[in-house]
Amino acid sequence: MAMTTALLPIPAAHSPALAEPEDDGSIEPLVVERITPDVVREDSTLRIAGEVTNTTADSVRDVTVRVRYSRHPFTNRDELDEFASGDGWQPSASGPDEEIASALPPDTSEEYSLSVPVEDLDLSSYGVYPLVVEAVDADGGVLGSQYTFLPYTGGGDDDVPSVDIAWVWPLMDRPQRADDDTFLGGDLHDSVGAEGRLGRLLAAGAQVPLDFEAGEEDLVELLGLNGPPEESPAEEDEATAEETAESLPTEEATEGEGNGDEEDPDADEGEDDGEGADAPEEEPRPTRTEGVPITWAVDPGTLDDIRRMAGGEHEVLEGLLDVPAESDPVRHELGADESAQVWLREARAVLARDTVVATPYANPDLGALLRNNMGDDAEASIRIGQEAVLRALTFDADGAFALPPEGLMDDPVYELFASHGSTRFLLDEGAMPPASWMSTTPTAQAPLSAPEEETAEEPFALVADSGISDVLSMPSWEPGESALALQRFAAETAMIAGENAGGDRVVVASPGPGWNPSPEFADGVLAASDDLPWLSPEKLDEIEPADPEEREDTRRNLDYPDREAEQELSPTYLGQVEDVNNDVRLFNSVLVDDVDPFRPALLRLQSVYWREEEALAGATRSLVLDAVQGRTGDVRVIPGEPVTLASQTGTTGVLVANDLEDQAVIVRLSVFSENSERLSIGSYTDYFEIDPGAKTTVYVPLSARVNGRTELTVSLHNSAGEPISTQDTVIPVNATGLGTQALLISGIGLLILVAALAPRALRKWARKQAARSNAAEAAEVKDGDGDGDGDGDGEPDGTGGTPVEPAHPGGSPRESAPREDAGDEDSEESDGPDGSSSPPNAGAPEDPPAASPEGDDAKRRGTGPGRLREVPPEPRRTDG
């Protein structure tokens, strides 16, 4: 008969409380649902109840449930672990038994209930006793068993030893966002509901009923989610100091800084914190009046995620790791989450009654950051974490407490926290384990060496008990698991209290950040802390350092395990994050306000949670990088149409847009010509500010020397001259105005030439007309011989006549011999033998008659009372 082996409550943090059954059945063969009371006295009656199920394929006969135990208690806590694993000694004393069925068919169940007076068990004294509950068949074969514990106080509570217990109750989750508006999935939306993990932890820690209904109130208004983010007191002081410095002349401001005449901006810090006359008085926080005092451990990054989810519209990604690398995940647009609003409302009321301590923002891997020269990010995580807690809860976390990642730290991390005023360090036992000679559990307080930074109080560590942490991590959701885990919690604390350690001791119960207990278990451990006679609840902030005489050498010095260093975020991954940081720095460099909107996203990328989530960390880093580059790209040059110059010079407008909705920017515009010899650029406004969502046009003068196409390269830079975009804008410029200008100049020159030559042409025409008229008159006067040749000699050829002398410059024109071409209008310019144009008077004698200087000057100027006329040459004979 194939039956399930024993199911054991394993204490190890990474081991299940119950072993997996050998078969594939989902039902356990034996379940212990109740053990009452959780601590027994001599006059108590022990009752054990549960259920037996036949998980086999055959019917089981004569099923009996019985109890085995030991009359001798455990001697140390290590024996608890050994017994729970099934490898320790097996108790042999028989307790009560009950036959529950003569036949148990497959897949059927029967309830059982066992009881026995404690005095019949013959327990010896105060202590923790092993107890086994098992189901057997008719042949004595074990069908299933559960190993648990029986704490016993003896005759009464008066002589029971005691130990103080301080609770650290976590409200943490892994980073849920990439950039501020993009959630990696919907886990957080489910977690803050009444049935979600953070909802259940809040309700259990409150220890009073909570109202997870929204009601009729405007939660956005009530929680202040629709207003601007509140400034921290430090930011207010800095802003005040900057405004004061800006209101003074530069010399005064400089002088004040140098000689101390100007008031220290930190001197009035009390007023900025609400202590001034004009500041509203801070309302006193309520205090817890019932239940076990606890200290809430919060991750500011988680609170910030919830606040963002409650505040308005946001994106939720689906299947981030399931989509191919070249594809984008599915995005869902969601509005303000009502469950997150209700959770935040209840958290403000509940947490205000207790002490709140906080990790740095998003619980970053501080050791890795400091080892990789990223100390600025480590510093920022503490400052931004404080601001996030104040925004979400409206009050500050206790800055005296430090929560290193995983509860472990080395000296550089210790110095970092100390520099921010921390004096109490919540550590895992791996950071300060008990001394090798210790056989008992040391108190939680442990001294720390003095840090380099002076502190008002002596620093010390509060070390969480690893055994209790392991018990708190036991599974508690399946039937019977919560009962067994509660029994183990009672046993562990009873063993600690019963150790003969001397002096008062404190144990710190601190579950891990991802603690996910069932409501029954979460409520049960707090109730047990108040009900168990050996436990005394203590407030964590009221624990003082241990007495120096009693604390010597009980724990080893501060240690950082090698395995922890090996698990840190790798230098390769942090280098990739630093690449994103360079893009963030470039984006910040153009913002007018001194803000760093992507710093929380970078801190989320540096979280210790990514140590075991490499794929998700890489996908998240890519999302943040895309968001940073997208926001930087919102400050851009809007490409315009190609530019055509219709003249040698012109102006083009460059349109620059700031599409950021919440940030003004100040940028430098750079315009370069592809060829400055062809196209040069004049002076323009290159450094200017643009309001959120606005655009501005910068007018750039251009000057072209040569026609043709040239390109302008336009880019935006920060004040240091670094380009803020990876791609420049190109504007083509086509110069066509130089040809038109040349034609215009030529036309103007032609008009000038025409205007200059017109009077001369008119004078020539007048002289021609006068010469013809004179020639006709002379012919009529001289031609008295009747031969018609005009020479007066009676010869037809005119050879017997006398040549006419040129006219005297001062007198009337003389008669001149007629020319054969006298009637030709082009007689002034005739073609030569070669067809070329001959100048006027080409046939005149080489030595013309002398003329007076006045006449020559008058001829050159074309002025004077009498103008010289060019005389036509005498016709040349051609008859021999």
Side-chain angles (χ1 to χ4, degrees), residues 585-592 635 664-667 717-718 724:
R585 180 195 56 79
L586 192 63
F587 172 71
N588 292 342
S589 67
V590 301
L591 302 181
V592 172
V635 184
V665 298
I666 183 166
V667 294
H717 299 249
N718 60 13
I724 64 171

Side-chain angles (χ1 to χ4, degrees), residues 435-737:
S436 57
W437 60 269
M438 288 287 295
S439 60
T440 59
T441 303
T443 187
Q445 306 101 302
L448 291 171
S449 59
E452 294 182 0
E453 297 283 341
E454 294 186 4
T455 56
E457 299 179 7
E458 179 184 5
F460 66 97
L462 289 165
V463 183
D465 186 85
S466 60
I468 294 179
S469 298
D470 291 343
V471 171
L472 295 174
S473 67
M474 290 174 60
S476 59
W477 284 93
E478 296 298 326
E481 290 180 346
S482 179
L484 293 175
L486 287 171
Q487 283 299 113
R488 180 63 188 272
F489 176 78
E492 288 283 349
T493 54
M495 288 295 298
I496 297 172
E499 295 170 338
N500 186 18
D504 296 332
R505 290 178 300 160
V506 177
V507 294
V508 173
S510 180
W515 192 36
N516 187 22
S518 66
E520 181 183 2
F521 184 53
D523 294 337
V525 291
L526 288 179
S529 301
D530 203 21
D531 297 339
L532 294 176
W534 54 81
L535 287 181
S536 177
E538 182 76 14
K539 294 183 67 176
L540 191 70
D541 56 342
E542 293 181 356
I543 298 175
E544 299 295 333
D547 189 337
E549 297 180 358
E550 299 178 359
R551 71 187 186 188
E552 293 296 332
D553 301 328
T554 59
R555 291 189 181 275
R556 302 175 195 173
N557 293 329
L558 182 66
D559 181 43
Y560 194 70
D562 292 339
R563 59 175 175 80
E564 191 70 14
E566 294 172 357
Q567 294 174 354
E568 288 179 351
L569 297 176
S570 68
T572 301
Y573 173 76
L574 291 178
Q576 294 171 341
V577 174
E578 189 64 19
D579 292 340
V580 181
N581 189 26
N582 291 334
D583 284 48
V584 170
R585 180 195 56 79
L586 192 63
F587 172 71
N588 292 342
S589 67
V590 301
L591 302 181
V592 172
D593 298 327
D594 186 15
V595 294
D596 194 357
F598 282 102
R599 187 58 45 188
L602 285 174
L603 295 178
R604 289 192 288 267
L605 289 178
Q606 299 161 356
S607 175
V608 71
Y609 294 101
W610 302 128
R611 288 180 175 181
E612 299 179 358
E613 295 282 355
E614 294 182 2
L616 185 57
T620 305
R621 184 190 63 84
S622 297
L623 289 170
V624 174
L625 179 61
D626 291 344
V628 175
Q629 293 177 346
R631 294 269 285 174
T632 305
D634 286 341
V635 184
R636 60 196 177 95
V637 174
I638 298 179
E641 297 295 329
V643 178
T644 300
L645 290 182
S647 62
Q648 183 179 8
T649 61
T651 301
T652 184
V654 177
L655 184 60
V656 183
N658 174 20
D659 293 337
L660 301 175
E661 298 180 355
D662 52 357
Q663 295 292 339
V665 298
I666 183 166
V667 294
R668 187 181 299 280
L669 178 69
S670 296
V671 183
F672 294 95
S673 173
E674 178 187 35
N675 188 337
S676 58
E677 296 297 327
R678 296 170 59 92
L679 181 68
S680 60
I681 300 169
S683 299
Y684 59 92
T685 302
D686 64 340
Y687 200 53
F688 47 88
E689 180 177 337
I690 312 177
D691 291 334
K695 298 179 178 65
T696 187
T697 300
V698 178
Y699 293 97
V700 180
L702 304 175
S703 178
R705 296 183 176 89
V706 181
N707 277 350
R709 188 179 186 275
T710 307
E711 290 183 347
L712 297 179
T713 300
V714 183
S715 58
L716 295 177
H717 299 249
N718 60 13
S719 58
E722 298 174 290
I724 64 171
S725 60
T726 58
Q727 187 172 2
D728 297 331
T729 300
V730 176
I731 301 178
V733 178
N734 188 24
T736 62

Side-chain angles (χ1 to χ4, degrees), residues 739-815:
T740 304
Q741 185 177 16
L743 292 176
L744 181 60
I745 294 175
S746 300
I748 295 175
L750 180 61
L751 291 176
I752 295 174
L753 180 62
V754 170
L757 296 180
R760 182 177 179 184
L762 291 176
R763 289 196 300 271
K764 290 182 178 181
W765 179 81
R767 285 196 297 269
K768 290 179 182 179
Q769 296 300 321
R772 292 173 181 169
S773 177
N774 291 338
E777 292 176 359
E780 293 177 358
V781 172
K782 295 297 183 179
D783 193 9
D785 55 2
D787 56 7
D789 58 5
D791 58 4
D793 60 358
E795 297 294 330
D797 55 3
T799 58
T802 304
V804 180
E805 295 293 333
H808 190 277
S812 59
R814 296 183 180 180
E815 298 174 353

Side-chain angles (χ1 to χ4, degrees), residues 130-149:
L131 184 71
V132 180
V133 182
E134 57 188 7
V136 297
D137 60 11
D139 298 328
V142 177
L143 306 179
S145 60
Q146 296 286 5
Y147 284 56
T148 185
F149 308 91

Side-chain angles (χ1 to χ4, degrees), residues 854 857-859 861-867:
E854 294 81 357
D857 184 62
K859 182 178 180 180
R861 297 195 307 266
T863 59
R867 298 180 180 177

Side-chain angles (χ1 to χ4, degrees), residues 25 122 171 201 245 457 484 576 735 820:
D122 196 19
L171 289 177
L201 286 174
E457 299 179 7
L484 293 175
Q576 294 171 341
E820 294 179 356

